[in-house]
Amino acid sequence: MSALLELRGIRAAHERINVLHGVDLAVAAGQVVALLGPNGAGKTTVLRVAAGVHPAASGRLLVGGRDVTGADPRRLARAGVCLIPEGRGVFPNLTVRDNLLMMTFTGRSRAEIEEIAFTRFPILAKRASQQAGTLSGGEQQMLALARGLATDPAVLLLDELSMGLAPLVVGRLYEQVAEIARQGVAVLVVEQFAAAVLGIADHAAVLVRGRVQRQGHPDSGLRAELSALYMGSP
Ligand code: ATP
């Protein structure tokens, strides 16, 4: 299986302090890879490097088999990389419809974007005229995902989708994420609390202090290791 997204030996720093020390990760089309690890391990930095918003100090970034090391976020977006940051990035004072309408910059029509959004998340159609800030946390996350899908991503990078949401809501969101992957998208998910995402992940990597400590199928060994890291109860 060839990878749509590949990080090879990625090192990165914040304010001259090294936070990633040679991270190797690969995500194939149709695959969900979970990147887990304690607070401050460097998970968000991995996503930011993959989206081109944080520079790698060394290592290589490949998208669709092409070396895009050092490419800026626009070029990576054009290559199909979409980052949905922690905190969702929806515009709270705009309606759901206007949040979606803004995505017409992608060249897709308003009707196409609404179809993508409302087919996957019917509740958004009911909320179309509501200000995004008045939606529940789960609905805001759906809107963020719908905005991401409007870009027709090849690679979807999700940061702490579960933040502030009830477990049941998180479970439902991850079912949708699994469905998005089944349609051929390569999905890399960062989570501090592992339980929900391990249910749908094909592969998991445990990042500790900027190093992948273990990766593989999310089997009992990996789950036990996560438990030992006091990261919830996977
Ligand atoms: P969290 O779950 O807390 O977001 P994380 O695993 O995503 O953790 P990162 O956010 O990637 O970790 O942070 C990795 C390290 O880099 C941490 O020690 C953090 O304090 C540091 N760091 C992150 N952003 C910055 C920044 N803008 N300036 C300085 N240091 C930073």
Side-chain angles (χ1 to χ4, degrees), residues 4-20:
L4 271 188
L5 174 72
E6 200 175 344
L7 285 77
R8 290 189 193 157
I10 291 289
R11 293 175 188 274
H14 283 293
E15 320 261 342
R16 286 193 236 153
I17 296 169
N18 295 329
V19 296
L20 298 180

Side-chain angles (χ1 to χ4, degrees), residues 14-15 19 37-46 86 159-160 190 192:
H14 283 293
E15 320 261 342
V19 296
N39 221 341
K43 305 179 298 297
T44 296
T45 306
V46 168
E86 189 179 325
D159 199 356
E160 300 277 355
V190 154
Q192 190 177 337

